[in-house]
mmCIF file of all heavy atoms in Angstrom:
data_model
loop_
_atom_site.group_PDB
_atom_site.id
_atom_site.type_symbol
_atom_site.label_atom_id
_atom_site.label_comp_id
_atom_site.label_asym_id
_atom_site.label_seq_id
_atom_site.Cartn_x
_atom_site.Cartn_y
_atom_site.Cartn_z
ATOM 1 N N ARG Z 66 91.144 145.899 51.813
ATOM 2 C CA ARG Z 66 90.033 146.805 52.064
ATOM 3 C C ARG Z 66 89.599 147.428 50.752
ATOM 4 O O ARG Z 66 90.438 147.731 49.926
ATOM 5 C CB ARG Z 66 90.365 147.888 53.063
ATOM 6 C CG ARG Z 66 90.640 147.406 54.446
ATOM 7 C CD ARG Z 66 91.185 148.537 55.305
ATOM 8 N NE ARG Z 66 90.252 149.655 55.476
ATOM 9 C CZ ARG Z 66 89.405 149.751 56.451
ATOM 10 N NH1 ARG Z 66 89.380 148.813 57.404
ATOM 11 N NH2 ARG Z 66 88.629 150.796 56.561
ATOM 12 N N LEU Z 67 88.266 147.532 50.556
ATOM 13 C CA LEU Z 67 87.716 148.283 49.462
ATOM 14 C C LEU Z 67 87.405 149.686 49.940
ATOM 15 O O LEU Z 67 86.597 149.847 50.850
ATOM 16 C CB LEU Z 67 86.472 147.562 48.962
ATOM 17 C CG LEU Z 67 85.705 148.275 47.797
ATOM 18 C CD1 LEU Z 67 86.530 148.227 46.550
ATOM 19 C CD2 LEU Z 67 84.349 147.597 47.577
ATOM 20 N N GLU Z 68 88.063 150.678 49.350
ATOM 21 C CA GLU Z 68 87.867 152.067 49.781
ATOM 22 C C GLU Z 68 87.044 152.761 48.735
ATOM 23 O O GLU Z 68 87.513 152.959 47.605
ATOM 24 C CB GLU Z 68 89.211 152.744 49.965
ATOM 25 C CG GLU Z 68 90.182 152.050 50.979
ATOM 26 C CD GLU Z 68 89.688 152.225 52.382
ATOM 27 O OE1 GLU Z 68 88.764 153.057 52.624
ATOM 28 O OE2 GLU Z 68 90.192 151.553 53.309
ATOM 29 N N VAL Z 69 85.868 153.202 49.099
ATOM 30 C CA VAL Z 69 84.965 153.803 48.100
ATOM 31 C C VAL Z 69 85.209 155.260 47.969
ATOM 32 O O VAL Z 69 85.884 155.921 48.800
ATOM 33 C CB VAL Z 69 83.475 153.575 48.468
ATOM 34 C CG1 VAL Z 69 83.212 152.056 48.706
ATOM 35 C CG2 VAL Z 69 83.148 154.355 49.770
ATOM 36 N N PRO Z 70 84.767 155.877 46.854
ATOM 37 C CA PRO Z 70 84.985 157.336 46.672
ATOM 38 C C PRO Z 70 84.338 158.175 47.805
ATOM 39 O O PRO Z 70 83.146 157.891 48.184
ATOM 40 C CB PRO Z 70 84.363 157.621 45.312
ATOM 41 C CG PRO Z 70 84.422 156.293 44.587
ATOM 42 C CD PRO Z 70 84.172 155.267 45.665
ATOM 43 N N THR Z 71 85.036 159.164 48.245
ATOM 44 C CA THR Z 71 84.502 160.117 49.206
ATOM 45 C C THR Z 71 84.918 161.514 48.813
ATOM 46 O O THR Z 71 85.770 161.699 47.911
ATOM 47 C CB THR Z 71 85.023 159.831 50.630
ATOM 48 O OG1 THR Z 71 86.458 160.156 50.713
ATOM 49 C CG2 THR Z 71 84.850 158.414 51.043
ATOM 50 N N ASP Z 72 84.361 162.493 49.469
ATOM 51 C CA ASP Z 72 84.737 163.890 49.242
ATOM 52 C C ASP Z 72 85.828 164.364 50.155
ATOM 53 O O ASP Z 72 85.856 165.501 50.685
ATOM 54 C CB ASP Z 72 83.521 164.804 49.457
ATOM 55 C CG ASP Z 72 82.873 164.674 50.843
ATOM 56 O OD1 ASP Z 72 83.035 163.589 51.404
ATOM 57 O OD2 ASP Z 72 82.350 165.685 51.349
ATOM 58 N N VAL Z 73 86.805 163.501 50.397
ATOM 59 C CA VAL Z 73 87.920 163.724 51.345
ATOM 60 C C VAL Z 73 89.265 163.435 50.706
ATOM 61 O O VAL Z 73 89.395 162.431 49.983
ATOM 62 C CB VAL Z 73 87.740 162.848 52.600
ATOM 63 C CG1 VAL Z 73 88.925 162.930 53.532
ATOM 64 C CG2 VAL Z 73 86.468 163.202 53.311
ATOM 65 N N VAL Z 74 90.215 164.318 50.962
ATOM 66 C CA VAL Z 74 91.591 164.069 50.491
ATOM 67 C C VAL Z 74 92.331 163.489 51.716
ATOM 68 O O VAL Z 74 92.238 163.962 52.871
ATOM 69 C CB VAL Z 74 92.270 165.429 50.100
ATOM 70 C CG1 VAL Z 74 93.770 165.205 49.768
ATOM 71 C CG2 VAL Z 74 91.547 165.993 48.893
ATOM 72 N N THR Z 75 93.107 162.424 51.462
ATOM 73 C CA THR Z 75 93.756 161.703 52.505
ATOM 74 C C THR Z 75 95.270 161.727 52.391
ATOM 75 O O THR Z 75 95.803 161.575 51.237
ATOM 76 C CB THR Z 75 93.311 160.211 52.563
ATOM 77 O OG1 THR Z 75 91.873 160.189 52.775
ATOM 78 C CG2 THR Z 75 94.015 159.435 53.672
ATOM 79 N N VAL Z 76 95.980 161.983 53.473
ATOM 80 C CA VAL Z 76 97.432 161.866 53.545
ATOM 81 C C VAL Z 76 97.767 160.811 54.617
ATOM 82 O O VAL Z 76 97.422 161.030 55.769
ATOM 83 C CB VAL Z 76 98.150 163.177 53.862
ATOM 84 C CG1 VAL Z 76 99.631 163.008 53.950
ATOM 85 C CG2 VAL Z 76 97.782 164.251 52.781
ATOM 86 N N ALA Z 77 98.309 159.722 54.189
ATOM 87 C CA ALA Z 77 98.663 158.609 55.143
ATOM 88 C C ALA Z 77 100.178 158.563 55.255
ATOM 89 O O ALA Z 77 100.876 158.434 54.259
ATOM 90 C CB ALA Z 77 98.101 157.247 54.662
ATOM 91 N N LEU Z 78 100.655 158.661 56.471
ATOM 92 C CA LEU Z 78 102.101 158.654 56.748
ATOM 93 C C LEU Z 78 102.495 157.364 57.411
ATOM 94 O O LEU Z 78 101.995 157.054 58.525
ATOM 95 C CB LEU Z 78 102.443 159.885 57.654
ATOM 96 C CG LEU Z 78 102.084 161.259 57.099
ATOM 97 C CD1 LEU Z 78 102.336 162.355 58.094
ATOM 98 C CD2 LEU Z 78 102.822 161.550 55.789
ATOM 99 N N ALA Z 79 103.346 156.585 56.773
ATOM 100 C CA ALA Z 79 103.688 155.291 57.265
ATOM 101 C C ALA Z 79 104.968 155.338 58.094
ATOM 102 O O ALA Z 79 105.958 155.930 57.651
ATOM 103 C CB ALA Z 79 103.848 154.315 56.086
ATOM 104 N N PHE Z 80 104.931 154.709 59.248
ATOM 105 C CA PHE Z 80 106.151 154.533 60.047
ATOM 106 C C PHE Z 80 106.724 153.131 59.779
ATOM 107 O O PHE Z 80 107.934 152.934 59.915
ATOM 108 C CB PHE Z 80 105.832 154.646 61.527
ATOM 109 C CG PHE Z 80 105.052 155.879 61.885
ATOM 110 C CD1 PHE Z 80 104.184 155.902 62.950
ATOM 111 C CD2 PHE Z 80 105.222 157.074 61.170
ATOM 112 C CE1 PHE Z 80 103.500 157.035 63.314
ATOM 113 C CE2 PHE Z 80 104.540 158.192 61.512
ATOM 114 C CZ PHE Z 80 103.633 158.219 62.589
ATOM 115 N N GLU Z 81 105.850 152.198 59.467
ATOM 116 C CA GLU Z 81 106.274 150.803 59.190
ATOM 117 C C GLU Z 81 105.289 150.168 58.226
ATOM 118 O O GLU Z 81 104.047 150.383 58.345
ATOM 119 C CB GLU Z 81 106.309 150.004 60.499
ATOM 120 C CG GLU Z 81 106.593 148.487 60.298
ATOM 121 C CD GLU Z 81 106.361 147.670 61.568
ATOM 122 O OE1 GLU Z 81 105.999 148.260 62.595
ATOM 123 O OE2 GLU Z 81 106.488 146.426 61.504
ATOM 124 N N GLY Z 82 105.795 149.414 57.254
ATOM 125 C CA GLY Z 82 104.917 148.695 56.338
ATOM 126 C C GLY Z 82 104.646 149.562 55.071
ATOM 127 O O GLY Z 82 104.864 150.746 55.006
ATOM 128 N N THR Z 83 104.126 148.862 54.094
ATOM 129 C CA THR Z 83 103.730 149.500 52.797
ATOM 130 C C THR Z 83 102.312 149.057 52.473
ATOM 131 O O THR Z 83 101.812 148.056 52.975
ATOM 132 C CB THR Z 83 104.640 149.111 51.672
ATOM 133 O OG1 THR Z 83 104.634 147.665 51.512
ATOM 134 C CG2 THR Z 83 106.070 149.555 51.941
ATOM 135 N N MET Z 84 101.712 149.855 51.582
ATOM 136 C CA MET Z 84 100.354 149.572 51.147
ATOM 137 C C MET Z 84 100.401 149.390 49.607
ATOM 138 O O MET Z 84 101.026 150.152 48.879
ATOM 139 C CB MET Z 84 99.432 150.737 51.481
ATOM 140 C CG MET Z 84 97.977 150.502 51.283
ATOM 141 S SD MET Z 84 97.284 149.435 52.581
ATOM 142 C CE MET Z 84 97.189 150.634 53.914
ATOM 143 N N ARG Z 85 99.683 148.334 49.167
ATOM 144 C CA ARG Z 85 99.557 148.084 47.695
ATOM 145 C C ARG Z 85 98.154 148.494 47.268
ATOM 146 O O ARG Z 85 97.145 148.098 47.837
ATOM 147 C CB ARG Z 85 99.728 146.578 47.427
ATOM 148 C CG ARG Z 85 101.176 146.149 47.536
ATOM 149 C CD ARG Z 85 101.252 144.614 47.563
ATOM 150 N NE ARG Z 85 100.514 143.960 46.476
ATOM 151 C CZ ARG Z 85 101.061 143.715 45.297
ATOM 152 N NH1 ARG Z 85 102.281 144.160 44.975
ATOM 153 N NH2 ARG Z 85 100.337 143.107 44.400
ATOM 154 N N LEU Z 86 98.129 149.398 46.280
ATOM 155 C CA LEU Z 86 96.812 149.934 45.827
ATOM 156 C C LEU Z 86 96.569 149.565 44.414
ATOM 157 O O LEU Z 86 97.470 149.572 43.538
ATOM 158 C CB LEU Z 86 96.829 151.476 45.959
ATOM 159 C CG LEU Z 86 97.169 152.076 47.336
ATOM 160 C CD1 LEU Z 86 97.141 153.592 47.289
ATOM 161 C CD2 LEU Z 86 96.258 151.541 48.383
ATOM 162 N N THR Z 87 95.315 149.340 44.083
ATOM 163 C CA THR Z 87 94.893 149.139 42.671
ATOM 164 C C THR Z 87 93.449 149.647 42.548
ATOM 165 O O THR Z 87 92.666 149.710 43.504
ATOM 166 C CB THR Z 87 94.963 147.674 42.300
ATOM 167 O OG1 THR Z 87 94.719 147.498 40.910
ATOM 168 C CG2 THR Z 87 93.911 146.797 43.053
ATOM 169 N N ASP Z 88 93.084 150.026 41.326
ATOM 170 C CA ASP Z 88 91.729 150.504 41.119
ATOM 171 C C ASP Z 88 90.782 149.346 41.112
ATOM 172 O O ASP Z 88 91.026 148.297 40.481
ATOM 173 C CB ASP Z 88 91.694 151.231 39.725
ATOM 174 C CG ASP Z 88 90.402 151.975 39.503
ATOM 175 O OD1 ASP Z 88 89.380 151.335 39.318
ATOM 176 O OD2 ASP Z 88 90.422 153.209 39.546
ATOM 177 N N ALA Z 89 89.652 149.499 41.839
ATOM 178 C CA ALA Z 89 88.683 148.404 41.974
ATOM 179 C C ALA Z 89 87.838 148.201 40.760
ATOM 180 O O ALA Z 89 87.208 147.171 40.571
ATOM 181 C CB ALA Z 89 87.797 148.655 43.172
ATOM 182 N N VAL Z 90 87.733 149.208 39.883
ATOM 183 C CA VAL Z 90 86.835 149.154 38.713
ATOM 184 C C VAL Z 90 87.609 148.760 37.462
ATOM 185 O O VAL Z 90 87.137 148.017 36.618
ATOM 186 C CB VAL Z 90 86.149 150.519 38.518
ATOM 187 C CG1 VAL Z 90 85.298 150.523 37.288
ATOM 188 C CG2 VAL Z 90 85.288 150.829 39.768
ATOM 189 N N SER Z 91 88.804 149.356 37.273
ATOM 190 C CA SER Z 91 89.661 149.088 36.106
ATOM 191 C C SER Z 91 90.964 148.513 36.587
ATOM 192 O O SER Z 91 91.968 149.253 36.659
ATOM 193 C CB SER Z 91 89.837 150.329 35.271
ATOM 194 O OG SER Z 91 88.637 150.884 34.866
ATOM 195 N N PRO Z 92 91.012 147.228 36.983
ATOM 196 C CA PRO Z 92 92.188 146.713 37.594
ATOM 197 C C PRO Z 92 93.420 146.818 36.717
ATOM 198 O O PRO Z 92 93.381 146.590 35.488
ATOM 199 C CB PRO Z 92 91.843 145.245 37.825
ATOM 200 C CG PRO Z 92 90.347 145.204 37.905
ATOM 201 C CD PRO Z 92 89.914 146.210 36.927
ATOM 202 N N ALA Z 93 94.521 147.220 37.324
ATOM 203 C CA ALA Z 93 95.824 147.302 36.698
ATOM 204 C C ALA Z 93 96.834 146.787 37.715
ATOM 205 O O ALA Z 93 96.422 146.511 38.859
ATOM 206 C CB ALA Z 93 96.110 148.739 36.307
ATOM 207 N N PRO Z 94 98.087 146.582 37.317
ATOM 208 C CA PRO Z 94 99.041 146.160 38.314
ATOM 209 C C PRO Z 94 99.053 147.029 39.551
ATOM 210 O O PRO Z 94 98.938 148.278 39.468
ATOM 211 C CB PRO Z 94 100.396 146.243 37.566
ATOM 212 C CG PRO Z 94 100.028 146.067 36.132
ATOM 213 C CD PRO Z 94 98.659 146.724 35.954
ATOM 214 N N ALA Z 95 99.136 146.396 40.738
ATOM 215 C CA ALA Z 95 99.134 147.142 41.969
ATOM 216 C C ALA Z 95 100.384 147.998 42.120
ATOM 217 O O ALA Z 95 101.450 147.622 41.596
ATOM 218 C CB ALA Z 95 98.957 146.177 43.192
ATOM 219 N N VAL Z 96 100.248 149.115 42.777
ATOM 220 C CA VAL Z 96 101.388 150.008 43.039
ATOM 221 C C VAL Z 96 101.585 150.101 44.534
ATOM 222 O O VAL Z 96 100.666 150.273 45.303
ATOM 223 C CB VAL Z 96 101.078 151.400 42.455
ATOM 224 C CG1 VAL Z 96 102.279 152.300 42.655
ATOM 225 C CG2 VAL Z 96 100.684 151.366 41.020
ATOM 226 N N SER Z 97 102.834 150.003 44.958
ATOM 227 C CA SER Z 97 103.193 149.995 46.368
ATOM 228 C C SER Z 97 103.614 151.352 46.834
ATOM 229 O O SER Z 97 104.385 152.065 46.103
ATOM 230 C CB SER Z 97 104.282 148.935 46.711
ATOM 231 O OG SER Z 97 103.800 147.633 46.498
ATOM 232 N N PHE Z 98 103.179 151.780 48.029
ATOM 233 C CA PHE Z 98 103.518 153.092 48.553
ATOM 234 C C PHE Z 98 103.875 152.903 50.044
ATOM 235 O O PHE Z 98 103.402 151.985 50.712
ATOM 236 C CB PHE Z 98 102.344 154.016 48.497
ATOM 237 C CG PHE Z 98 101.890 154.395 47.117
ATOM 238 C CD1 PHE Z 98 100.891 153.729 46.504
ATOM 239 C CD2 PHE Z 98 102.554 155.420 46.398
ATOM 240 C CE1 PHE Z 98 100.455 154.014 45.206
ATOM 241 C CE2 PHE Z 98 102.113 155.738 45.130
ATOM 242 C CZ PHE Z 98 101.115 155.059 44.516
ATOM 243 N N GLY Z 99 104.726 153.789 50.504
ATOM 244 C CA GLY Z 99 104.950 153.923 51.956
ATOM 245 C C GLY Z 99 103.899 154.918 52.425
ATOM 246 O O GLY Z 99 102.769 154.584 52.819
ATOM 247 N N SER Z 100 104.238 156.232 52.404
ATOM 248 C CA SER Z 100 103.293 157.280 52.722
ATOM 249 C C SER Z 100 102.567 157.677 51.456
ATOM 250 O O SER Z 100 103.169 157.700 50.369
ATOM 251 C CB SER Z 100 104.026 158.469 53.310
ATOM 252 O OG SER Z 100 104.619 158.152 54.562
ATOM 253 N N ILE Z 101 101.338 157.968 51.597
ATOM 254 C CA ILE Z 101 100.419 158.135 50.399
ATOM 255 C C ILE Z 101 99.682 159.499 50.515
ATOM 256 O O ILE Z 101 99.210 159.856 51.574
ATOM 257 C CB ILE Z 101 99.371 157.030 50.357
ATOM 258 C CG1 ILE Z 101 100.030 155.631 50.325
ATOM 259 C CG2 ILE Z 101 98.488 157.167 49.168
ATOM 260 C CD1 ILE Z 101 99.110 154.515 50.590
ATOM 261 N N ALA Z 102 99.606 160.172 49.404
ATOM 262 C CA ALA Z 102 98.660 161.311 49.195
ATOM 263 C C ALA Z 102 97.648 160.872 48.204
ATOM 264 O O ALA Z 102 97.981 160.462 47.067
ATOM 265 C CB ALA Z 102 99.419 162.561 48.733
ATOM 266 N N ALA Z 103 96.395 160.915 48.568
ATOM 267 C CA ALA Z 103 95.312 160.470 47.694
ATOM 268 C C ALA Z 103 94.279 161.558 47.533
ATOM 269 O O ALA Z 103 93.628 162.024 48.504
ATOM 270 C CB ALA Z 103 94.657 159.228 48.283
ATOM 271 N N GLY Z 104 94.160 162.040 46.297
ATOM 272 C CA GLY Z 104 93.130 163.018 45.975
ATOM 273 C C GLY Z 104 91.762 162.474 45.817
ATOM 274 O O GLY Z 104 91.526 161.268 46.029
ATOM 275 N N LEU Z 105 90.834 163.286 45.439
ATOM 276 C CA LEU Z 105 89.425 162.825 45.221
ATOM 277 C C LEU Z 105 89.453 161.878 44.006
ATOM 278 O O LEU Z 105 90.074 162.156 42.968
ATOM 279 C CB LEU Z 105 88.470 163.975 44.887
ATOM 280 C CG LEU Z 105 88.346 165.086 45.980
ATOM 281 C CD1 LEU Z 105 87.224 166.015 45.523
ATOM 282 C CD2 LEU Z 105 88.064 164.506 47.333
ATOM 283 N N ARG Z 106 88.796 160.756 44.173
ATOM 284 C CA ARG Z 106 88.769 159.747 43.125
ATOM 285 C C ARG Z 106 87.325 159.359 42.832
ATOM 286 O O ARG Z 106 86.535 159.165 43.761
ATOM 287 C CB ARG Z 106 89.538 158.453 43.513
ATOM 288 C CG ARG Z 106 91.044 158.602 43.503
ATOM 289 C CD ARG Z 106 91.709 157.335 43.981
ATOM 290 N NE ARG Z 106 91.222 156.151 43.223
ATOM 291 C CZ ARG Z 106 91.715 155.761 42.030
ATOM 292 N NH1 ARG Z 106 92.659 156.481 41.454
ATOM 293 N NH2 ARG Z 106 91.226 154.712 41.397
#
Side-chain angles (χ1 to χ4, degrees):
R66 292 171 63 93
L67 177 68
E68 302 290 348
V69 304
T71 70
D72 58 330
V73 174
V74 175
T75 301
V76 178
L78 303 175
F80 309 149
E81 174 191 358
T83 59
M84 191 76 74
R85 288 166 49 87
L86 305 180
T87 188
D88 191 289
V90 177
S91 301
V96 183
S97 294
F98 296 95
S100 296
I101 304 166
L105 301 188
R106 287 178 52 83

